[in-house]
Amino acid sequence: MCLFNYSNVIASKTFALTPDIALPCAVLIFPIVYIVNDVLAEVFGYKKARRVIILGFLLNLLAVIMYNITMILPAPVFFTGSEAYQIVLDSTSRVLLASFLAYLVGSLMNAKTMVILKEHNDSLVIRCITSTFMGEGCDALIFITIAFYGTMSLVSLLLMIVVQAIFKTAYEIVIYPVTRLIIAKIKAY
């Protein structure tokens, strides 16, 4: 899941949704991960979705190890971009811990909720939205707490957690027709 890695690189940058509400820039990419998880869990079941989630986790770990190795290697004297490179990728260690825990818990919660609801609810839209809300809620709580605790007030931190979970769930609602279409195409294949 390359999207998981991309979101880690941009996650330490926040943007102002309103003058009082900030969100990590990763909210622009990361909801797609949950949509892919919905498709995997709906079409292939929890076991296979879990394998892909763990593979995404391992690939992200490999990427962060490579980032850290490249930051340790000495740059040639003519290269002037080392400081900028370091600034962007150095935050990945704290973000890595936050995102790993959040990704594992949130994605597995999303997939498990999707599969459990499939047994009790015929409505795909309800399954997708509920599973995303559960997964994104866990993800936001874990990620934002670890990644941003101590960098802002507790009120701002809590507000960011709530708004991020709502923002990502709203994203799922807007993109749901595409999710439904992808699921239908894969099942028909």
Side-chain angles (χ1 to χ4, degrees):
M1 304 283 270
C2 292
L3 295 172
F4 178 37
N5 185 260
Y6 299 151
S7 69
N8 281 351
V9 172
I10 64 173
S12 58
K13 168 76 169 68
T14 60
F15 70 95
L17 188 62
T18 71
D20 298 324
I21 299 173
L23 288 175
C25 289
V27 300
L28 303 174
I29 295 175
F30 206 73
I32 298 167
V33 172
Y34 278 83
I35 293 165
V36 170
N37 287 344
D38 283 350
V39 171
L40 291 171
E42 177 68 21
V43 176
F44 301 108
Y46 179 72
K47 248 183 171 175
K48 289 186 181 176
R50 185 180 66 211
R51 285 184 189 148
V52 173
I53 290 165
I54 291 169
L55 178 61
F57 175 89
L58 294 173
L59 290 173
N60 193 43
L61 176 61
L62 177 63
V64 172
I65 290 169
M66 292 296 118
Y67 295 155
N68 282 291
I69 290 171
T70 62
M71 286 186 288
I72 293 168
L73 294 173
V77 292
F78 59 84
F79 185 70
T80 59
S82 290
E83 285 182 36
Y85 185 82
Q86 189 91 15
I87 289 169
V88 171
L89 293 177
D90 202 25
S91 67
T92 57
S93 295
R94 183 173 177 169
V95 169
L96 172 72
L97 175 62
S99 67
F100 274 7
L101 292 174
Y103 174 74
L104 281 177
V105 172
S107 293
L108 292 172
M109 173 66 80
N110 179 74
K112 192 67 169 178
T113 302
M114 189 76 171
V115 170
I116 289 170
L117 288 176
K118 189 173 184 177
E119 296 172 9
H120 304 289
N121 191 318
D122 290 335
S123 173
L124 179 61
V125 68
I126 297 297
R127 292 194 305 269
C128 287
I129 292 168
T130 303
S131 66
T132 295
F133 183 72
M134 296 294 289
E136 293 290 5
C138 291
D139 182 283
L141 177 65
I142 294 167
F143 177 78
I144 291 173
T145 301
I146 295 171
F148 295 103
Y149 184 79
T151 66
M152 61 184 69
S153 71
L154 186 57
V155 170
S156 295
L157 189 80
L158 293 173
L159 187 59
M160 186 187 281
I161 291 168
V162 171
V163 172
Q164 179 172 306
I166 292 169
F167 181 91
K168 288 180 175 180
T169 303
Y171 190 113
E172 167 81 30
I173 292 167
V174 169
I175 203 78
Y176 172 74
V178 175
T179 304
R180 184 184 68 229
L181 179 66
I182 292 169
I183 290 170
K185 292 279 186 191
I186 292 172
K187 282 184 171 181
Y189 185 71

